[in-house]
Amino acid sequence: HSNAESEMGLYNRLDVVAEYWAKKENWLCLLFNHKDMAEVGKELEQAKSYLKLKNKNEAIVHLELLREDLLSLEHILYFNVQNLF
């Protein structure tokens, strides 16, 4: 695969993830702060935008921020569920 094909494939996969996230975000707001949820969607859109502009380095930065946001949400969910029991 060429680099452009790989980037387009990644863009398409991020697009699918962003659509899925948008569908699930409202339900997840019952468990998490809406601001935390919005950060995930924002980072997904930023990464997609930079990939579309062929700025791979900035896309990687936002994918790393997305990873951090998701890890943070994982810890919050663990503590929220633990508090229920």
Side-chain angles (χ1 to χ4, degrees), residues 7 46-47 49-62:
E7 288 175 9
Q46 287 288 336
S49 294
Y50 282 114
L51 278 175
K52 193 172 188 177
L53 294 171
K54 306 218 182 303
N55 189 335
K56 190 167 93 175
N57 291 335
E58 281 297 317
I60 290 170
V61 167
H62 287 282

Side-chain angles (χ1 to χ4, degrees), residues 42-80:
K42 181 185 110 182
E43 296 304 340
L44 276 168
E45 291 303 320
Q46 287 288 336
K48 282 176 43 186
S49 294
Y50 282 114
L51 278 175
K52 193 172 188 177
L53 294 171
K54 306 218 182 303
N55 189 335
K56 190 167 93 175
N57 291 335
E58 281 297 317
I60 290 170
V61 167
H62 287 282
L63 289 172
E64 281 297 319
L65 290 171
L66 173 63
R67 181 180 173 275
E68 290 176 21
D69 289 341
L70 292 173
L71 288 173
S72 173
L73 289 176
E74 179 183 29
H75 292 294
I76 292 169
L77 176 61
Y78 174 75
F79 289 121
N80 284 347

Side-chain angles (χ1 to χ4, degrees), residues 2-43:
S2 73
N3 200 21
E5 288 174 342
S6 295
E7 288 175 9
M8 193 55 159
L10 179 56
Y11 178 87
N12 290 338
R13 283 179 273 176
L14 282 175
D15 199 39
V16 169
V17 170
E19 286 179 30
Y20 180 79
W21 184 260
K23 289 177 186 174
K24 301 297 181 185
E25 185 176 359
N26 287 337
W27 182 85
L28 289 169
C29 282
L30 295 173
L31 300 172
F32 300 106
N33 181 325
H34 180 71
K35 181 182 178 288
D36 297 327
M37 306 307 300
E39 285 299 311
V40 171
K42 181 185 110 182
E43 296 304 340

